[in-house]
Amino acid sequence: MGTKSKFTIPNNFVIVFWIILICATLTWFLPGGEYVKAADGTVTFNQVESVPQTYQIFTSFFAGFEKGAGIIIFILVVGGAFWVVNSNGAIDVGIYSFLRRSKGWERFWLVRKLGVNNVIMVSIMIIFSLFGAVFGMSEETIAFAVVIIPLAISMGYDSLVGLGLVYVAAHTGFAGAMLNPFTIGIAQELSGIPLFSGLEYRFVVWMILNVALLIFILSYAAKIKKDPKKSIVYEEDEFWRKRFSEEKSHVEYSTPKTAWIAFGLSMIALIVFAIVYPTTTIVVGKTQLAPLPIIPISVVMYAILCVLSLRKSVHFFILQLLAFTIVYLIVGVMGYGWGIDKIAGLFFAMGILSGIAIGYNANELVKQFMDGAKDFMSAALIVGFAGGIIVILKDGKVVDTILHGLSSTLGAYGKIAATETIYGIITLINLIMPSGSAKAALTMPIFAPFSDIVGISRQSTVMAFQLGGGFTEMITPISGVLIGVLGVAKVPYAKWIRWVLPYIVVVVIIGALLLIPTVTMNLSGFEQNIHLAK
């Protein structure tokens, strides 16, 4: 008797390799072509002889790694640094501390009026949404789910609410990101536009998406609070009700001498920077603010907050390191035009200081950093492999042919239609390739010049990539983070889809509507030729 074969979802690397094979095949059948820019600035398309690709499918990876070397190193450095930061549970301690303090809000009249539980849930969602928007929190939500799900159930909700507070919130923030280096940073770098430009409108997008998030989670939570048995995971949640009737955390607070050493080293470096850069001119879109003593002021604040943190525990000192790393990232980008190399250096310094503060010797620090880099290795490698796709198309002289074909068809329907089409394509690609960095490496080298041809800004294309690459990650079974977090929560995939799909449909529609102003309005950072300013 025969057995049914079980379908296995292909790995991202398998998908990329098949795409490379398909692209190599196209070079044998598509006519060659290239765009030529004349002295007066006009661009024309000319047919040329194609160059069929054969053995290049095995050498394109090398060229892809060369092309994406900076981004690959950046991903590995950031991954290693974050691993060191949370190696002693510092981020966990921060979340625990917040949850404990939030329970004391009952003494305030407004909080009692709104509902303490509602205020707590909104606060948690905003925090995790910010984490997703600022530094692309994703995998970390698996660990936090173990903390937040018991909290949600103890407040009278279910595990789906717990996942909404952490996983859905982080990925909503990821989609509406403002400073996420893994999506916006890489996509803008590949598109040749200033890093983190267009921040103002992205902040508006983030707020609108969070309104949708809060309405969805709070309305569902209210229904479950009224009748817990209406939850579709009521039976599965029996595991949590038995094991975690009351969530408690036991953290051993201490401040080793090495934490004070790390503080001293960081203060020396920051004081030097404050002397060298006494004032900073912040550029917000088209506006340049008057020179301000931002770095000296931040150094004073850093010193005060770190001393207070060190008197409590090294965990809180590391949280200050993380907070001020993000502060200096913003100052560096908006005040000094930092690229990913300097941002990577900033995170690298944060990782080293965190390791010293914890008390790691050199070998232990390297091991922790390597463990983190190893965790991000797949995301880094896929950038190089995906870079081989555009190499095959360019060397085969067919990439401009494809762009010309797209511009001839989509461009005829108008700029809005072209933008929405890019958004739809990215949304579909995200179902089979949820890695943000991989999608950027695959799509931006094609869609960025395409946007020039049809007359939309590259910033609009990056926005379409950002939104299209965020929502469907919450439903694709290819996402290791989704499968991992559902496994931790004991939530069946089918029930998860049934619950979250209406929300996904709503935010996908909202995303499509939010793209329209990037084409029809004169938004700061969305000018047609902003990429030429870099």
Side-chain angles (χ1 to χ4, degrees):
M1 182 170 57
T3 58
K4 292 183 178 180
S5 61
K6 186 177 181 181
F7 174 73
T8 302
I9 297 173
N11 184 280
N12 281 347
F13 290 92
V14 176
I15 295 172
V16 167
F17 188 72
W18 275 108
I19 293 175
I20 288 177
L21 286 175
I22 293 171
C23 291
T25 303
L26 290 176
T27 63
W28 285 81
F29 298 99
L30 290 180
E34 62 180 9
Y35 282 104
V36 179
K37 188 173 183 180
D40 60 357
T42 59
V43 179
T44 58
F45 176 78
N46 299 326
Q47 285 193 344
V48 298
E49 187 177 353
S50 62
V51 182
Q53 302 290 286
T54 54
Y55 69 90
Q56 291 90 343
I57 62 174
F58 301 106
T59 61
S60 62
F61 301 125
F62 184 80
F65 276 102
E66 277 189 322
K67 185 178 179 64
I71 297 174
I72 292 169
I73 295 171
F74 174 71
I75 292 172
L76 295 176
V77 169
V78 172
F82 268 104
W83 189 279
V84 175
V85 165
N86 202 38
S87 61
N88 74 333
I91 297 179
D92 299 346
V93 167
I95 297 296
Y96 283 130
S97 178
F98 166 77
L99 294 177
R100 285 196 300 269
R101 291 185 180 183
S102 63
K103 292 183 179 180
W105 298 348
E106 294 181 355
R107 64 180 183 275
F108 298 108
W109 173 83
L110 181 60
V111 174
R112 291 197 303 270
K113 190 72 174 177
L114 296 174
V116 177
N117 285 358
N118 288 335
V119 173
I120 291 175
M121 287 191 291
V122 169
S123 301
I124 294 173
M125 282 187 281
I126 294 299
I127 286 176
F128 280 98
S129 181
L130 277 172
F131 285 165
V134 173
F135 60 84
M137 172 177 277
S138 180
E139 290 86 354
E140 298 84 354
T141 55
I142 297 175
F144 290 131
V146 181
V147 178
I148 302 300
I149 289 174
L151 173 69
I153 292 177
S154 69
M155 291 192 300
Y157 306 119
D158 63 2
S159 56
L160 291 174
V161 171
L163 289 176
L165 300 181
V166 180
Y167 176 80
V168 178
H171 281 73
T172 299
F174 192 95
M178 297 170 285
L179 296 169
N180 183 356
F182 295 107
T183 53
I184 298 175
I186 293 176
Q188 290 183 329
E189 182 78 10
L190 291 170
S191 300
I193 58 179
L195 206 60
F196 301 124
S197 52
L199 178 64
E200 303 92 331
Y201 186 64
R202 282 191 170 82
F203 181 69
V204 173
V205 170
W206 178 79
M207 289 193 298
I208 293 173
L209 291 177
N210 275 276
V211 170
L213 168 71
L214 297 179
I215 292 174
F216 174 68
I217 299 298
L218 293 180
S219 59
Y220 175 78
K223 182 180 74 172
I224 299 304
K225 181 74 171 179
K226 187 175 180 180
D227 185 1
K229 292 187 177 181
K230 286 186 176 180
S231 169
I232 60 175
V233 293
Y234 184 78
E235 294 179 359
E236 288 80 4
D237 284 348
E238 186 63 24
F239 167 83
W240 295 105
R241 286 191 291 269
K242 288 182 177 179
R243 188 172 178 181
F244 297 104
S245 58
E246 182 179 358
E247 177 68 19
K248 295 181 180 180
S249 62
H250 301 282
V251 179
E252 184 177 342
Y253 296 105
S254 63
T255 304
K257 292 181 180 179
T258 52
W260 289 99
I261 294 174
F263 170 64
L265 292 173
S266 61
M267 279 301 301
I268 292 172
L270 290 176
I271 290 172
V272 171
F273 278 118
I275 294 173
V276 176
Y277 303 103
T279 60
T280 303
T281 301
I282 296 295
V283 179
V284 181
K286 301 176 182 178
T287 305
Q288 284 192 354
L289 304 180
L292 299 171
I294 294 177
I295 295 181
I297 292 173
S298 68
V299 171
V300 173
M301 293 178 59
Y302 174 80
I304 295 173
L305 293 174
C306 283
V307 168
L308 294 175
S309 299
L310 286 166
R311 294 177 63 182
K312 296 175 63 177
S313 172
V314 66
H315 303 82
F316 295 100
F317 169 66
I318 292 176
L319 289 173
Q320 293 298 336
L321 280 177
L322 174 59
F324 276 89
T325 296
I326 296 173
V327 169
Y328 287 121
L329 183 155
I330 297 172
V331 174
V333 169
M334 300 181 69
Y336 300 96
W338 280 6
I340 59 173
D341 55 341
K342 292 181 175 61
I343 296 176
L346 182 67
F347 279 104
F348 187 56
M350 176 192 69
I352 292 176
L353 288 171
S354 299
I356 294 173
I358 295 169
Y360 293 140
N361 59 38
N363 287 339
E364 290 171 336
L365 178 53
V366 169
K367 181 183 181 303
Q368 291 292 334
F369 187 88
M370 293 300 293
D371 286 343
K374 187 189 305 180
D375 195 51
F376 279 70
M377 183 64 73
S378 177
L381 289 178
I382 198 68
V383 173
F385 276 86
I389 297 171
I390 193 66
V391 170
I392 288 286
L393 292 174
K394 284 186 174 180
D395 290 350
K397 303 294 184 180
V398 297
V399 64
D400 287 351
T401 302
I402 295 173
L403 289 173
H404 180 68
L406 288 172
S407 62
S408 300
T409 54
L410 299 179
Y413 296 101
K415 298 178 181 180
I416 294 177
T419 305
E420 298 294 354
T421 301
I422 294 174
Y423 173 59
I425 292 172
I426 298 295
T427 299
L428 293 175
I429 290 176
N430 198 47
L431 289 170
I432 60 174
M433 187 178 289
S435 170
S437 51
K439 283 193 302 292
L442 172 65
T443 60
M444 295 316 298
I446 295 177
F447 286 131
F450 168 70
S451 63
D452 296 339
I453 296 169
V454 298
I456 60 177
S457 71
R458 293 192 174 194
Q459 195 76 264
S460 298
T461 302
V462 171
M463 178 67 78
F465 164 81
Q466 169 191 339
L467 293 171
F471 301 130
T472 49
E473 187 167 343
M474 289 185 276
I475 59 174
T476 174
I478 293 178
S479 172
V481 178
L482 172 60
I483 299 304
V485 80
L486 292 181
V488 167
K490 313 298 181 186
V491 172
Y493 176 76
K495 291 188 176 182
W496 167 259
I497 293 297
R498 174 182 168 187
W499 177 73
V500 81
L501 191 57
Y503 174 70
I504 300 300
V505 171
V506 170
V507 291
V508 165
I509 294 173
I510 292 175
L513 295 175
L514 290 172
L515 283 174
I516 296 176
T518 70
V519 178
T520 60
M521 298 175 64
N522 186 25
L523 301 174
S524 176
F526 285 79
E527 297 84 355
Q528 171 61 23
N529 291 319
I530 188 174
H531 61 283
L532 298 177
K534 186 172 180 180

